Amino acid sequence: MTIKNAANMGNEVARLMESEELNGEQLAFDLNISRQLGSHMKNDRRKMQQDIAKVSIQTYDNPEYITDVLHEFSEGYTSPVFRGKHIEQHRLSIEAYTIQELQEAISKMKEVCLAKPPTIISKEEREEIKALMEELLDGRGFIDNMLIQLQKDYGLSIKNCIKGLLPRWKAKGWLG
């Protein structure tokens, strides 16, 4: 996976400032940057550097902003925030899509055989595995967006939930 060193994040910074009710001075203070640099980043006259992005996701527990930054800096490896015209930003709507996409992914998993060694699969089997990956990514995208909506609606931090789960994951041997 490639990690970007800098990215245009103007829309994301503007949305963050609006949702967190930040002015340019507060943003600059929080990120330890000049007010001018904050303004330049917000207006896409300067790219956000990776170190500033890291500080910003440590500073603000804003799930949409963090998801935007991670998606942009990972060059699309993580899920984007679903803001399209066919998505209503409501927990019930996102829940329905999440269930639908997870059911489709589970159905595809039942159809695709992963028992064969990868070195001997046919072209058609490879295409089926790619289709499975796409279904899983649809599901992951909606899971991530469902978590965003739950944090926004209920004020339960994704970061804090993960921190709380780490000991359990370690105890189960899922983490090294």
Side-chain angles (χ1 to χ4, degrees):
M1 173 177 61
T2 307
I3 304 292
K4 286 185 175 183
N5 291 325
N8 284 326
M9 299 295 294
N11 291 334
E12 293 79 2
V13 170
R15 276 193 292 270
L16 172 71
M17 291 176 73
E18 182 180 333
S19 67
E20 298 291 321
E21 298 178 356
L22 299 171
N23 60 31
E25 212 170 290
Q26 186 63 50
L27 178 78
F29 176 80
D30 290 348
L31 302 181
N32 196 28
I33 59 174
S34 70
R35 190 162 187 249
Q36 182 181 23
L37 176 57
S39 174
H40 286 321
M41 287 188 308
K42 178 182 173 188
N43 294 300
D44 280 335
R45 291 189 301 265
R46 291 275 308 271
K47 291 183 175 188
M48 180 181 284
Q49 298 298 312
Q50 187 180 49
D51 60 332
I52 295 171
K54 182 178 179 180
V55 168
S56 72
I57 62 176
Q58 291 169 338
T59 302
Y60 303 110
D61 194 5
N62 182 302
E64 286 185 330
Y65 174 76
I66 291 170
T67 301
D68 285 333
V69 171
L70 293 174
H71 180 72
E72 184 63 33
F73 276 84
S74 70
E75 294 192 355
Y77 190 83
T78 62
S79 304
V81 177
F82 292 162
R83 294 186 180 97
K85 63 182 179 179
H86 294 278
I87 300 291
E88 185 178 346
Q89 297 292 317
H90 189 278
R91 65 187 171 278
L92 296 176
S93 175
I94 295 172
E95 178 188 43
Y97 275 114
T98 303
I99 290 168
Q100 177 184 331
E101 294 303 329
L102 290 176
Q103 287 173 340
E104 290 174 13
I106 290 167
S107 292
K108 184 57 89 174
M109 287 179 81
K110 290 177 181 178
E111 293 173 15
V112 176
C113 178
L114 299 174
K116 281 187 182 178
T119 55
I120 64 166
I121 62 171
S122 68
K123 183 178 179 183
E124 293 78 22
E125 290 169 320
R126 184 174 188 80
E127 287 300 314
E128 283 296 308
I129 292 167
K130 182 178 183 233
L132 169 60
M133 290 178 68
E134 289 170 352
E135 290 294 344
L136 290 168
L137 289 167
D138 285 344
R140 182 179 87 176
F142 274 101
I143 288 171
D144 290 343
N145 278 267
M146 185 76 210
L147 288 166
I148 289 167
Q149 197 63 46
L150 292 174
Q151 178 170 336
K152 286 171 52 180
D153 289 352
Y154 295 103
L156 298 167
S157 169
I158 297 167
K159 283 183 187 181
N160 291 339
C161 286
I162 290 173
K163 286 177 189 174
L165 286 169
L166 287 175
R168 181 190 320 171
W169 294 344
K170 286 179 184 174
K172 290 184 175 202
W174 295 350
L175 300 176

